[in-house]
Amino acid sequence: MAQTYHRDDLSVDQRLALATAARRLRDEFTGVVGTETIERFLHASYDQFAVHSTIANFLPLLAERFARQRLHALARIEGHHDGRPVVLFLCVHNAGRSQMAMGFFQHLAGDGALAWSGGSEFATEINPAAVASMAERGIDISKEFPKPWTEEIVRAADVVVTMGCGDACPVFPGKRYLDWALDDPAGQSVEDVRPIRDEIESRVRALLDELSVPARG
């Protein structure tokens, strides 16, 4: 019998939101991932974000979005994938460099590849200067959110791009790693972030070329 999570630390609205999220995930991953794993990933994701967040009402939504990414990664490891390459961008806070890289990758690759991102010490919000600088290029990353990395996400990626997280970044034998030496946009102005943004775009375009994924635009 699948494990059922009973939690007394949540409000009625939060419990209802998590139950609704669990139903959506079960519908999406039925026949691919077991119900107990879906529940476990959802509640573990909730706990990870609860440590950082000051807005409790958003936690079920963040947990659902992150659990969905983790479940896609797990399904990919177990052989359920469509053949598209996956690139994981990692930095310290997952608030600037890795988010901009993921934004460029998704925008340029379209449906030709997938991009994920994470941080070794993920922040509470995206760097506003990173959001503004990307908006100047017509790419909206304002709806993204900092998140950690997990083992199945790293294992499911074809390429792991690290940006300044050093020894804190995960290392798995046989995985392809790229280390991009980029300035940290934390605390910098939009003007200062623009050169970092442009360098990231150049590197993302080169990576797409290596992966034989045509860049749009």
Side-chain angles (χ1 to χ4, degrees):
M1 180 179 295
Q3 179 178 358
T4 301
Y5 285 80
H6 297 286
R7 305 185 58 142
D8 297 324
D9 58 330
L10 307 180
S11 69
V12 172
D13 288 342
Q14 287 172 313
R15 288 199 294 271
L16 178 60
L18 278 177
T20 301
R23 282 198 301 273
R24 282 195 291 259
L25 292 171
R26 286 196 299 269
D27 290 344
E28 186 173 344
F29 291 95
T30 183
V32 178
V33 179
T35 298
E36 182 176 343
T37 300
I38 291 172
E39 292 275 352
R40 177 165 52 85
F41 275 27
L42 178 63
H43 285 268
S45 298
Y46 182 96
D47 290 339
Q48 286 179 295
F49 289 109
V51 174
H52 290 73
S53 180
T54 57
I55 307 178
N57 289 341
F58 289 158
L59 289 174
L61 176 60
L62 294 181
E64 179 182 355
R65 290 177 63 183
F66 188 50
R68 179 174 288 107
Q69 179 178 318
R70 293 185 63 189
L71 291 166
H72 276 300
L74 181 63
R76 181 180 173 86
I77 292 170
E78 295 179 350
H80 301 277
H81 59 81
D82 55 15
R84 290 182 294 172
V86 174
V87 176
L88 173 62
F89 296 99
L90 297 177
C91 66
V92 178
H93 302 302
N94 192 219
R97 289 166 291 187
S98 55
Q99 292 286 356
M100 289 190 287
M102 184 175 71
F104 272 124
F105 194 96
Q106 291 174 327
H107 176 75
L108 294 170
D111 294 331
L114 300 174
W116 299 330
S117 69
S120 55
E121 301 174 14
F122 69 101
T124 57
E125 63 180 2
I126 303 294
N127 183 331
V131 173
S133 69
M134 292 296 287
E136 293 177 348
R137 302 302 302 275
I139 300 174
D140 182 11
I141 63 171
S142 64
K143 296 179 177 62
E144 293 297 333
F145 59 101
K147 62 191 78 66
W149 59 267
T150 62
E151 180 176 338
E152 68 279 345
I153 287 174
V154 180
R155 289 176 57 201
D158 296 295
V159 181
V160 179
V161 179
T162 61
M163 309 176 193
C165 47
D167 293 340
C169 282
V171 176
F172 287 80
K175 186 68 58 183
R176 183 188 176 193
Y177 286 87
L178 298 174
D179 184 52
W180 291 359
L182 297 162
D183 291 336
D184 190 347
Q188 299 198 46
S189 66
V190 175
E191 182 178 2
D192 292 329
V193 171
R194 286 176 186 138
I196 304 172
R197 173 202 64 193
D198 294 344
E199 176 66 17
I200 289 172
E201 179 183 9
S202 176
R203 290 173 182 256
V204 167
R205 287 183 179 275
L207 177 57
L208 286 169
D209 189 53
E210 289 178 28
L211 296 172
S212 299
V213 176
R216 303 184 305 171

